[in-house]
Amino acid sequence: MYHIDPTRTDLAVEFKARPFGVHSAELNALLLRMRGAPIEGKHVLVMTKPQAEWVLAEMTGDPPRARPISERVFTNLAEAEWHVFKLRWERLTGHPLDID
C-alpha cells in the first residue's frame, strides 16, 4: 500500500494546479491511495445541480450512502475537488495541508 509522506506537499501543489487530466506517477499513486480508502467516513462530493453545484458529504451506513455534512455549496468543481483532497490528506497523514 502506498504511504503518503506528509512532507511531499509538492504533490498537493501539483494536484491543486491540475486537478483534472494527466498527473505524475507519484501523484497518481497518492490519488489511488486516497480513493481506495475505506468507504465509511470518506469525504465525497454530491452534485446538487447538474454540472453546476456540489456539496461536501461523508459516506456512511450499510449500504453506503452520502450524507451531506456542510451547508457550503461549491460552484467550481476544481475548488470542490481541492477541498476534498485536503480533507483526505489530513485524514490519511494526520497533518493538515497549509496550502490555499
Side-chain angles (χ1 to χ4, degrees), residues 25-73:
E26 195 73 19
L27 178 55
N28 272 328
L30 183 147
L31 292 172
L32 286 172
R33 172 68 175 92
M34 285 182 166
R35 293 170 181 157
I39 293 292
E40 187 77 27
K42 184 186 284 188
H43 291 101
V44 296
L45 296 170
V46 174
M47 187 183 306
T48 54
K49 288 188 182 173
Q51 306 305 317
E53 288 185 1
W54 298 264
V55 296
L56 181 65
E58 188 174 73
M59 295 301 294
T60 186
D62 186 22
R65 292 193 172 102
R67 177 180 54 87
I69 59 172
S70 174
E71 299 281 325
R72 181 176 178 188
V73 175

Side-chain angles (χ1 to χ4, degrees), residues 9-29:
T9 57
D10 59 302
L11 297 173
V13 170
E14 179 186 347
F15 179 82
K16 185 176 183 191
R18 188 182 198 145
F20 312 110
V22 179
H23 300 114
S24 69
E26 195 73 19
L27 178 55
N28 272 328

